[in-house]
Amino acid sequence: MAAPGENMRVNADRLWDSLMEMAKIGPGIAGGNNRQTLTDADAEGRRLFQSWCEAASLTMGVDTMGTMFMTRPGTDPDALPVYVGSHLDTQPTGGKYDGVLGVLSGLEVVRSMNDLGIRTKHPIVVTNWTNEEGARFAPAMLASGVFAGVHTQDYAYQRKDPEGKTFGDELQRIGWVGDEEVGARKMHAYFEYHIEQGPILEAEEKQIGVVTHCQGLWWLEFTLTGREAHTGSTPMTMRVNAGLAMARIMEMVQAVAMENQPGAVGGVGQVFFAPNSRNVLPGKVVFTVDIRSPDQGKLDGMRARIESEAAAICAALGVGCSIEAVGHFDPVTFDPTLVAAVRKAAEDLGYSHMNLISGAGHDACWAAKVAPATMIMCPCVGGLSHNEAEDISKEWATAGADVLLHAVIETAGIAE
């Protein structure tokens, strides 16, 4: 079926107003959002989303990981649904669009179809996945990972935040434990619309990123054990300095990533010192190394080298070293038919576009394990994301939502 005519567009004002209303929940301190997963703010955002979906005549299902599935029925009772989704949770200092744009654009697709009187053969399900960010409970994409069979629910429920609170307890506390079995739903296709979180589209002056692949990732959590000692009275030659070992590992990670250019990145974004006192050498340092590449060989090689060289660095300093993989997915190739549907929609609508490899992980990476999946991306100012200064234009948001509308309708099939 050909994509609908270019006169079929989303309601740009309604989409933008929805984004701004959701941004009022869990405000940050510098114009962004702090709506971390399973917090009271997350619960409030879920309730607002639920109310909007019910006003659009969608029916809600919630699984035991707290993921929300909002369904618009199709005309064929035997047809599997087309899923459209992302996440409402944010980083501690997150922006107003990361994840949220995809969820609310999915809702806007349904609203626009209602306005236009369009019925589809396949049902359409707008999805809010729980704990995509992984900022509070590692790993990222936790609920979609359980859905795809990558993690068990028991594993997910036992994940702890920095205060020692478990995912399962906090999900129960905010009242969003559903009754659906995780992963029991079957998908005809899965679409996810997201800001790029990188600078390429803006630099190339393209409105639409047609996402063909997603690079793979390893999160390696290091626990280094040294000996607490006074920084002023302990001779340099008698120290067992876990902080120094961490610094040398960070330099090594930088070197490994640079030596695997192009198409590889690596760095450290989170560090915990104990006792974290100005005049005490740390007895324990915990930090996470994040490495990514669309090339499986590079990804695996970087991990092996980092773990080997880190062990040597620590041994030379007398520091204990343990490493746990707390997040991982292999590089993903998205479904060619769905990718083609996105590209055709962009062309039919007259939007400039280019192929893109996602540098960040998304729920679509796990959805791709159980169904055909793909992504659409729009630019973000300066490529800035996971930051309260994250910004997009109304025009960028609308262009991607228009493409999403057309690709979803083509995939779901207009009812005769």
Side-chain angles (χ1 to χ4, degrees), residues 223-227 240-242 282-285 318-322:
T223 300
L224 306 186
T225 306
R227 183 170 63 238
V240 184
N241 191 342
K284 182 179 180 181
V285 180
V319 171
C321 176
S322 66

Side-chain angles (χ1 to χ4, degrees), residues 138 218-223 270 272 286-289 322-327:
W218 280 106
W219 281 357
L220 305 175
E221 184 176 272
F222 285 70
T223 300
Q270 185 180 61
F272 297 101
V286 180
F287 62 98
T288 303
V289 170
S322 66
I323 306 170
E324 178 186 1
V326 295

Side-chain angles (χ1 to χ4, degrees), residues 70-319:
M70 316 303 287
T71 301
R72 185 181 198 257
T75 59
D76 183 347
D78 298 322
L80 293 177
V82 173
Y83 284 70
V84 186
S86 197
H87 59 98
L88 294 176
D89 69 313
T90 76
Q91 290 285 323
T93 53
K96 297 190 289 287
Y97 310 102
D98 175 357
V100 185
L101 176 64
V103 177
L104 298 187
S105 292
L107 172 59
E108 180 53 37
V109 164
V110 169
R111 287 169 161 173
S112 296
M113 290 171 61
N114 290 345
D115 293 345
L116 296 166
I118 295 173
R119 301 295 302 169
T120 57
K121 296 177 183 177
H122 292 261
I124 295 172
V125 179
V126 184
T127 306
N128 169 37
W129 298 101
T130 301
N131 192 47
E132 190 276 349
E133 289 291 0
R136 185 180 178 199
F137 299 99
M141 301 129 60
L142 187 61
S144 56
V146 177
F147 188 96
V150 178
H151 311 300
T152 66
Q153 182 169 288
D154 287 344
Y155 167 85
Y157 272 26
Q158 294 306 311
R159 296 303 89 202
K160 292 182 179 180
D161 71 5
E163 297 180 356
K165 297 176 181 178
T166 67
F167 178 97
D169 287 347
E170 287 295 274
L171 182 61
Q172 182 72 43
R173 184 188 66 80
I174 68 165
W176 279 91
V177 180
D179 57 7
E180 288 190 15
E181 177 188 354
V182 182
R185 288 170 170 263
K186 304 304 178 186
M187 299 179 178
H188 176 62
Y190 178 82
F191 288 92
E192 183 163 351
Y193 175 34
H194 209 279
I195 64 172
E196 181 192 352
Q197 300 181 280
I200 298 172
L201 290 174
E202 185 184 34
E204 296 292 332
E205 299 184 342
K206 302 296 185 183
Q207 296 163 290
I208 302 296
V210 181
V211 185
T212 59
H213 299 77
C214 185
Q215 63 183 359
L217 166 152
W218 280 106
W219 281 357
L220 305 175
E221 184 176 272
F222 285 70
T223 300
L224 306 186
T225 306
R227 183 170 63 238
E228 293 179 22
H230 196 291
T231 56
S233 57
T234 307
M236 297 297 289
T237 56
M238 299 177 68
R239 301 181 178 202
V240 184
N241 191 342
L244 177 59
M246 179 206 69
R248 291 182 178 175
I249 290 171
M250 290 177 68
E251 286 274 27
M252 177 268 292
V253 169
Q254 173 76 9
V256 169
M258 291 303 297
E259 290 170 21
N260 278 276
Q261 296 304 299
V265 294
V268 174
Q270 185 180 61
V271 179
F272 297 101
F273 269 48
N276 200 31
S277 176
R278 291 182 180 87
N279 62 347
V280 180
L281 295 173
K284 182 179 180 181
V285 180
V286 180
F287 62 98
T288 303
V289 170
D290 182 327
I291 55 173
R292 308 183 189 212
S293 176
D295 183 303
Q296 186 75 59
K298 283 187 178 182
L299 186 67
D300 294 342
M302 288 169 67
R303 179 191 179 187
R305 182 173 163 193
I306 287 168
E307 291 186 345
S308 174
E309 295 193 16
I313 288 169
C314 290
L317 295 171
V319 171

Side-chain angles (χ1 to χ4, degrees), residues 381-404:
V381 176
L384 192 63
S385 183
H386 287 191
N387 188 301
E388 292 201 55
E390 171 186 285
D391 196 18
I392 66 174
S393 72
K394 180 178 177 179
E395 291 71 25
W396 288 345
T398 303
D402 284 339
V403 170
L404 181 66

